[in-house]
Amino acid sequence: MFMEIFSVIFNVGLTHYLILGAIMFCIGLLGLIISRNVIRVLMSIEILLCSVNINFAAFANYVDINNIQGQIFAVFIIAVAAAEAALGLAILLSLYRNKPTIDTEEISELKG
Amino acid sequence: MEFFVKNAGIIALLPLWVFLIIMFGQNLSIYENKKFTLWLTATSTFAGLICSSFILAWTMSHNEPYIQNFIWLEAGYIKLSVGVIVDNLSAMMLMVVTSVSLLIQIYSHEYMNKDEGYHRFFAYLNLFNFSMLGLVLSTNLFQTYIFWELVGVSSYLLIGFWFRRPSASSAATKAFIINRIGDCGLLLGILGFLFFSIIFWLNSSDVFLGFSSLPQAAKYVYAATGSTPMLYTIIAVLIFLGPVAKSAQFPLHTWLPDAMEGPTPISALIHAATMVAAGVYLIARVYPIFELSNDAMTIIAWTGAITAIMGATIAITQQDIKKALAYSTCSQLGFMVMAMGAGAYAAGLFHLMTHAYFKAMLFLCSGAVIHGLNNQQDMKYMGGLRKHMPAVAYTYLIGCLAISGIFLSGFWSKEEIFSGLLANNHIVLLIIALIVAGMTSFYMFRTYFLTFEGEYRGNEHPHNASKVITLPLIIFAIPSAIIGFILCGKFGLPSFDNFISPTHEIVEHSENFILPVISLIISLAGFGLAMVLYVDKYRDKLNINLDNFIQKVKPAYNFSTNLWYIDKSYYKLIDYMVIPVCKLMSNFDKYIVDGIVNLIALMTGFSGWVLRLFQNGNVQTYATILFGGLMLLTFVLTIYWLL
Amino acid sequence: MEVIYNLFFYLISFVLIISALGVVFMPRIVYSAVSLILAFISVAGIFVMLNADFLAITQIIVYAVGITIILIFAIMLTGKISEKKLWIAFAPRTLFAFAISGAFFVTILFAITDGFKLVARESNIFSATLPSLETIETLQTEGTTGIIGKALFTKYVLPFEVLSLLLIAAMLGAIVMTKKSGDNLINHTTKTIEED
Amino acid sequence: MHELYMELFNKLGIPEIFGEITWPIIPFVCVAALLIIVVLFLVLMERKVLAWLTIRKGPNRVGPFGFFQTIADAIKLLIKEDIMSKDTNKILFTLAPMIVFAPIMVIYGLMPFTEKFVAINLAAGLFLVFALSSLTTVGIVLAGWASNNKYSLLGGMRSAAQAISYEIPLIISVLSIAVISETLNLSDIVDAQSGGISYNILLNWNIFSWNIWPAFIGFIVFFICSIAEVNRIPFDLPEAESELVSGYNTEYSGMKFALFFLAEYSALFIISVLMVTLFMGGYLSPFNGYLSNILFQNIIHNQIILNIFVHFEQAFWLLAKTYFVILIIMWIRATLPRLRADQLMTFSWKFLLPLSLLNLTIVAIVKYLLNTGNI
């Protein structure tokens, strides 16, 4: 009984990758919300995107090995992430120029 | 030759390109030389003219029309398409439009040269050319409608060309609104027709509303509405409403005289030769629909007749040279529509063609006169201009002879109309037509004598028109003089009837010489009356006092100068009927509709106030709320999915 | 071989999770950046294990180099501030964040394992097993580049083109936003040097 | 080879799994040894060549003609005190040289030195080479930042800007090679360059089917960009002595400096190998077939031994071409002055990038015409 459960857990399959993706997603989510530093928020967003990519690649490998469409989507996500990072930096810098802070607690221009 | 036919769409697209080039490039330095715009425009139109002549030659030898279609939009099972049709009718119209428009463009270069809106003018001109040629080349009613509207827009833009003048902008608005009434009718008619014939089109191999299957479709609709012939007549009359507005027929004609506020070349091109003729063209295109309903035909014929006589009576008393010509146009269009309605299909189109040339020329002559007198339009201040501008005077004379039906082209086309009316037993209409012909002759020569003969009564020093202006006039004089004779179909010459209506049964005219002789006599009588009344020499000799003469026929004279009181009654109608209703509706809108909207706005504002409490300005808090919601959603969905 | 594969998976996953946690919880932002590089390279390793060689290399070249350098530049350009220790926020939302991500993880885990069942996984769509050895063999010798390239230029050509537009728009946007007002973009460098 | 290795484990009674795990490490050990030797030789070569070009004597005290000079240098670096100033960021300061050095070492494993001597033969090897070589930039930036020295920081920033700018034309020019040979595998790229252009005598020499001919513009772009990528004169702005003291490695000494030094020279070597592999036929001989086949086939009849000779000959050709390229790079170092920072950027974006795109277009068109048989 114990050996059976151990072998199920130990032998890596799709589920393992999905769980890994979920863990990464939760870590990214955590970082996105709790960080006080804008740059760290950007980093957390990258982690979020990475976790999605892991899931895509895992599905491509286990479900759609002949067409690997998941990988193609991951390529798109990577490109979008690059654009997002560049724009994030640009926004950060123009923010920093207008109000010299990168502390999210101090940035509250959206207050309604 | 096949090449030109297969690429006939290019003729229409060339002006569009030129329009875009001029419109988007008019601030570039290259446009400081105005010749660039002229060359661009004239070259494209000339290319169109060459293509059109090849197409015309092709249609001479081919009876089957060439049709090309592209599906433009699909909505369910309704497929609407655009395309190109090349048959005798469109070939003729192409020829007329491109040739008239080329000459007028050259003329405009001189006429508009000092104007600041030169490039805009040419851009609009090209837009008009595009829409008119597109209209001519349309394969189906739907496409026709699109270009119909485009033609209206370019007409609107050009009437209001000098938009800083209040009269011009209000004239443009008037033209637009009145055309809207007609277009509304046309659209309703097309939709009604489509509604009854939709099953026919689905089974047909032709495109929806295609002209080539229109006769069968009309028969189908006639059968479908068989129990209520009234319905079919209503549809036909609704379709006819489009031409009524566009061709300035009786109830909706009031915009055309006002449209003379636009530049004179525009009056010549759009409001005399081509666009107003589009109505007649449309009647010709959908002739199979009208043919089936006698009531509709009668309505058309009588509308034409009333317009013809009304235009003629008003034109007699006009002092403004362009207004006189405008009412003359009205009257001539009435002639054509009357011919169409009476069954003389080819005669109407023949008159359309001849009229296009001589009326364009007449307008250009009047433009030359106005230009030469520094924008003086009133004939009171003209006279004796033959000495100052002989070329203009002689071409104007040729035009007058042509329109009055004294031997030149108008004679032949009018003669066909008369014989067509006679052949279809419309004796009343024939009498009206003959009277109108006499009046035409009278008022045209009245304008001629007032303008070019006698003593000069104005203050400005008249100067002669330049070569660029006179050259198009002289070129125009040639077709105005001879085209009727060439195509009359008698004396072994080619017959316009055979060319234009190979599919329609040709009405055999009774070859009598009485009718032409009568019409000639009547025209000459009109000419004589004008000479007696308006040439000082003869008037003095016969001792006629014009003012006394007018006093004697005061009620009729007032009726005519007040434009049959139509405009005034329209204004009264609007004042006492439309505006109160509008006020009522406005109040409804203000207090009830707005009240509901304001209530909703208040509610939104309140909920916004509540939601604003969540907005503390920190983006991450928003992210928390967002992901919290996402988490809840995921949770619920997972539970729902697994259980 | 299977055992090695599994061991490698756990090794890389461990490094990945630790470095991802490092990104979030490192007190100094530069360490976070270095930790991020490690995380990205680990993700590339995961891709290699999933027979996605093209994706792994793209991951390195875009994430581990491109994005990381952008982030390091951002750290350096805001140097004065980032040296102050801006750690996690002590605000009510931090508590919420822990709760939400925890609940999220549990929910996803619940969904993936079909209600925490360890054995009976055949019933749902995740019951896919490792593909056949020949397929993996061909993928490993020929690589996935060819397949992805063909797909990008045939089936996905429209998204691909739209993506190129997006990248251009992002580039232009970034340039316009970071440009100081009144800067002459073209001659800026030469001008400053001439002034010096 | 693999079986032999496993048999060894069997005989010694060690579980096979350790063999499986250690087997992939062996090529890296070989590569590391190769790397050390190459760098030792390159340093000596550079000093000798520069001396020759500037009519000096160069190192001539240690050993015959100063051949052991670099070994002495290496020993000096190893036993030197490792200084770290007070305000440096200790962790990153230590980590940076490793981040710079490690990817280059992996790239050595990807290179086809001979037909068989390829540690990792990947399908997308070419792509991986560029991914890894760009990783070094991160290390340099971190080194500059961790030094807590403004010259170092400037050097690091410049290096990053330069690397990113020059990587784009570099990769686009390499893309043309991928288009020509329809693969990203480095061995296949080399094989695709064999055979000449015709079966005629002389025209069947490999030299005529080198990629340098169809992608000549690409070769020029690649050559310039590769000099910039390894930060050598005239593109050595990150470590310009006259402006930035020594750029990002100003604060480094001892073993950490040695790592930078090692990385720099191995990058020079590896980029030359890459250039030779992509454009000049790699390990192939420029003639039709290998010389050793012709020379020894009547003397040695054992095919295996003959093959070993062929492998050595392949290594010889590769090294000969590589050192030729390195010689030219050194020659350029001795000849040209350093560029200005803005000239560097303008040159890359406004000149090299369009040129590389032009090259790609030409190659693509030629390839299309060849494939459709229109030429």
Side-chain angles (χ1 to χ4, degrees), chain B residues 224-288:
Chain B
T225 57
S227 55
T228 45
M230 195 60 193
L231 197 58
Y232 186 84
T233 311
I234 286 170
I235 289 174
V237 169
L238 278 175
I239 291 178
F240 176 60
L241 260 183
V244 165
K246 200 65 91 194
S247 290
Q249 296 302 300
F250 160 58
L252 303 178
H253 67 280
T254 53
W255 67 272
L256 185 62
D258 287 17
M260 297 303 137
E261 286 295 337
T264 309
I266 291 314
S267 309
L269 177 64
I270 300 188
H271 306 118
T274 53
M275 187 191 82
V276 289
V280 181
Y281 172 79
L282 185 73
I283 299 177
R285 270 288 178 218
V286 298
Y287 206 62

Side-chain angles (χ1 to χ4, degrees), chain B residues 184-242:
Chain B
C184 185
L186 176 63
L187 184 61
L188 283 176
I190 292 173
L191 289 178
F193 189 76
L194 182 65
F195 178 76
F196 285 108
S197 61
I198 195 129
I199 295 164
F200 171 82
W201 296 115
L202 282 175
N203 297 329
S204 146
S205 59
D206 201 4
V207 295
F208 269 70
L209 295 169
F211 288 132
S212 50
S213 322
L214 212 56
Q216 293 94 307
K219 281 188 189 109
Y220 183 89
V221 174
Y222 193 70
T225 57
S227 55
T228 45
M230 195 60 193
L231 197 58
Y232 186 84
T233 311
I234 286 170
I235 289 174
V237 169
L238 278 175
I239 291 178
F240 176 60
L241 260 183

Side-chain angles (χ1 to χ4, degrees), chain B residues 1-2 57-66 86-88 502:
Chain B
M1 225 176 266
E2 285 282 320
W58 182 84
T59 47
M60 298 274 189
S61 54
H62 292 75
N63 274 340
E64 280 297 304
Y66 171 79
V86 176
D87 59 359
N88 297 345

Side-chain angles (χ1 to χ4, degrees), chain A residues 86-106:
Chain A
L87 278 182
L89 174 65
I91 293 170
L92 177 68
L93 284 186
S94 44
L95 186 74
Y96 184 69
R97 196 176 291 146
N98 290 327
K99 182 178 179 175
T101 177
I102 50 167
D103 187 352
T104 55
E105 297 291 297
E106 291 172 34

